[in-house]
Amino acid sequence: MPNALELTGIRKSFDGFAALTDAHFAARWGEVHALLGENGAGKSSLMNIAAGLYAPETGAVLVDDNAVRFGGPRDAARHRIGMVHQHFKLVKPFTVAQNILLTAPPAAEGLRHGQRLAQVERDIRAKARELGFDIDPTRRVETLSVAEQQRVEILKVLLAGARILILDEPTAVLTDTEAERLLQTVHGLARGGAAVVLVTHKMADVKTYADRVTVMRGGRTVATVDPKETSTQQLVKLTVGDSTPAEAAPRGTPGDVKLRITGLRTPESGGRRVLDGVDLTVRAGEIYGIAGVGGNGQGELAAAIMGLPMAADGEIVLEGHGDLRRTSTADRRELGLAAIPADRYGLALAGSLSVAENFGVGQVHTGRYGPAWHLRAKDLEADAAEAVREFDVQGVRSTAQKAALLSGGNAQKLVIAREFSKSPRVVLAHSPSRGLDVRAGAAVHARLRAARDAGAAVLLISEDLDEVLALADRVGVMTRGRIVAEHDQPADRQAIGQAMVDHG
């Protein structure tokens, strides 16, 4: 069977750091080929070369067994290669249809603008029904949840006519049912003749849907194997080596309520409220996990707690302070609120600033590093370097390097290092391990457990039910802007899933 896409002997460096040193990969027509590896292993860099975003320093790229050289993503698209990135490439003020129209879907070519937009909207609705997505093509992207934005990216690639599909963590923010439906669709596309590259950290997805799997570690290709003939334990060992995460220590007894949310509502719009009476409490020394399908108000709840501008009635009460709704974000931080948002690059990090600047930005206003117009750079860099060591942020050659050069897992570790630089009273963690590999995800989870064990109240919001069940001491199900059910651990997965569906 011919190779649809092949990369051989690929080397690529960034700022003097070798991200890829000897990478090989080949996907055939008619197969789903999974790509595994820790964060920083080089998976995204290799696939960005395949998608025309980067040019390799050495090595070759072949499509249909013919050598090609891409001058950019449009060249790759002309070879019918499309990539759904882990960090979205959407214009947020535009509607869903306008974003997809930017890729000039073939069905819309040759039509006037109004006709093109109408045709794209029809195509979106048809493809969304096929995939089981609930997407309104007239909505602006900035109003969509993270999960909904990812679905738009998937639709954009498919409607652009790609036959070589590169999907980077496509199920990271989907429920079990949605993920299964998507992967069945992906499997069907491959069986129809497409080539699908599935970049994922979910071993179950690899075992169930992949025809072959390639493992990368440290910028090199380690092995390509048949997942049906390779055990999960063997795949994990190939991915992370011989080391395994330490077992979590038993937790103590939860204390008093630290965070109480009562009757939180947003104004009605289009016949519905995004938040429609959220009631929950989080106690000291516990992790309260919110499960639910993306787009049911989780992002708005997180924004309200963090202090982002939004109109809402109800109360968000912090023990010892009172209602936070009129308290600034800076003051909330001073009161001991730490936040790990779902969009780490959009809301937690400034990629163009250095590692040190990203670490210290939360304390500049306190005067810790001197006046804002003349910071003591050496003190800031020393604190950042200590945090990098303590939180095992890999890939930092200097705290002066740009944060954008960090892999997803290490960027998340930097966010956590900053947020936990002072012992927090309340921790808000929204999809904290989204897109992370086994080891990086375990490190993030360990930090959340450590915060809980130190007496913090941890509110975990995640569309990954496995993550919620692994971490939470109590589980609330959020649907249509409210908590519709609560479960103590050990919780019944089926009961939680049923609550998510029954109230949808």
Side-chain angles (χ1 to χ4, degrees):
M1 184 180 298
N3 287 324
L5 173 68
E6 184 176 3
L7 300 100
T8 62
I10 302 295
R11 179 181 177 83
K12 181 67 178 178
S13 298
F14 298 96
D15 194 25
F17 173 73
L20 298 169
T21 54
D22 185 24
H24 304 264
F25 181 85
R28 301 167 182 156
W29 292 114
E31 78 168 354
V32 177
H33 194 135
L35 183 59
L36 290 177
E38 292 187 271
N39 286 99
K43 305 181 308 300
S44 293
S45 295
L46 185 62
M47 289 301 103
N48 280 329
I49 287 173
L53 286 165
Y54 301 155
E57 294 162 9
T58 62
V61 179
L62 296 90
V63 176
D64 266 334
D65 291 336
N66 295 311
V68 296
R69 187 179 296 274
F70 297 146
R74 288 189 179 276
D75 287 348
R78 279 193 282 270
H79 285 84
R80 306 192 76 179
I81 298 173
M83 182 171 179
V84 176
H85 296 270
Q86 181 179 337
H87 303 294
F88 310 136
K89 310 293 183 183
L90 298 172
V91 183
K92 292 191 175 181
F94 285 12
T95 67
V96 171
Q98 288 168 335
N99 268 276
I100 291 177
L101 186 57
L102 291 174
T103 64
E109 291 180 355
L111 300 176
R112 290 194 304 244
H113 177 72
Q115 294 174 321
R116 295 173 70 198
L117 193 61
Q119 180 63 52
V120 168
E121 289 176 357
R122 288 193 293 270
D123 291 344
I124 291 170
R125 290 190 175 95
K127 182 61 71 173
R129 284 195 299 271
E130 178 184 329
L131 297 176
F133 293 167
D134 182 13
I135 293 291
D136 180 354
T138 66
R139 282 184 64 185
R140 290 196 305 274
V141 166
E142 63 192 359
T143 70
L144 302 179
S145 70
V146 172
E148 290 169 321
Q149 290 181 40
Q150 187 176 49
R151 294 168 199 161
V152 173
E153 287 281 21
I154 293 169
L155 289 168
K156 182 172 70 174
V157 168
L158 293 176
L159 290 172
R163 292 286 290 162
I164 299 174
L165 309 178
I166 302 170
L167 306 178
D168 193 355
E169 298 291 345
T171 65
V173 292
L174 304 182
T175 65
D176 292 351
T177 301
E178 290 172 321
E180 182 180 4
R181 185 182 299 119
L182 172 63
L183 291 171
Q184 286 175 346
T185 299
V186 164
H187 189 265
L189 291 170
R191 292 300 176 262
V196 178
V197 181
L198 183 65
V199 182
T200 183
H201 297 105
K202 296 186 177 182
M203 296 296 178
D205 292 351
V206 173
K207 297 287 289 182
T208 304
Y209 295 99
D211 299 296
R212 290 190 298 159
V213 54
T214 292
V215 181
M216 293 185 67
R217 190 164 66 238
R220 296 174 178 269
T221 298
V222 175
T224 296
V225 298
D226 183 341
K228 305 297 189 297
E229 298 177 357
T230 310
S231 70
T232 299
Q233 291 75 17
Q234 289 172 315
L235 287 175
V236 170
K237 185 175 180 179
L238 285 170
T239 302
V240 302
D242 293 322
S243 61
T244 55
E247 291 292 329
R251 74 181 186 93
T253 303
D256 296 334
V257 172
K258 289 284 187 183
L259 180 69
R260 183 187 302 276
I261 298 175
T262 307
L264 196 62
R265 286 181 174 83
T266 52
E268 187 171 309
S269 176
R272 64 184 291 267
R273 300 177 188 272
V274 178
L275 297 177
D276 194 18
V278 177
D279 296 297
L280 63 87
T281 59
V282 191
R283 296 172 290 185
E286 81 164 349
I287 299 176
Y288 183 100
I290 295 181
V293 179
N296 276 280
Q298 297 97 319
E300 289 77 10
L301 174 60
I305 296 171
M306 286 189 291
L308 300 182
M310 64 181 301
D313 295 323
E315 290 186 326
I316 304 172
V317 177
L318 179 66
E319 180 196 44
H321 174 76
D323 192 356
L324 291 173
R325 288 184 306 127
R326 291 178 176 82
T327 304
S328 70
T329 300
D331 288 342
R332 295 184 197 206
R333 295 180 66 84
E334 287 302 302
L335 290 167
L337 173 64
I340 306 169
D343 185 357
R344 66 183 74 106
Y345 287 104
L347 294 175
L349 292 174
S352 61
L353 297 183
S354 71
V355 168
E357 289 166 334
N358 273 281
F359 173 78
V361 69
Q363 296 193 51
V364 168
H365 70 284
T366 69
R368 175 179 176 83
Y369 304 113
W373 59 89
H374 188 64
L375 296 177
R376 295 191 298 272
K378 288 186 177 179
D379 292 346
L380 173 57
E381 290 168 1
D383 283 357
E386 182 179 350
V388 163
R389 287 191 296 271
E390 181 184 351
F391 285 79
D392 191 32
V393 184
Q394 299 291 317
V396 178
R397 297 170 300 289
S398 164
T399 58
Q401 79 180 56
K402 292 182 179 180
L405 295 176
L406 296 176
S407 68
N410 289 307
Q412 190 73 314
K413 288 181 185 178
L414 178 59
V415 173
I416 293 174
R418 180 187 65 216
E419 295 303 300
F420 290 4
S421 59
K422 296 190 297 184
S423 299
R425 297 172 61 196
V426 176
V427 177
L428 168 66
H430 189 183
S431 300
S433 64
R434 172 176 173 258
L436 305 189
D437 61 65
V438 174
R439 184 181 295 176
V444 170
H445 290 176
R447 289 293 178 177
L448 293 176
R449 292 191 182 102
R452 173 199 66 187
D453 296 342
V458 180
L459 177 60
L460 168 68
I461 303 173
S462 178
E463 285 85 26
D464 185 343
L465 185 52
D466 289 330
E467 180 171 51
V468 172
L469 293 177
L471 286 177
D473 304 304
R474 286 191 297 141
V475 178
V477 180
M478 189 168 186
T479 301
R480 292 185 178 272
R482 62 186 184 278
I483 302 297
V484 298
E486 286 190 339
H487 300 263
D488 291 325
Q489 289 281 42
D492 184 334
R493 183 189 187 98
Q494 296 302 317
I496 292 174
Q498 198 65 44
M500 292 163 60
V501 174
D502 284 350
H503 295 268

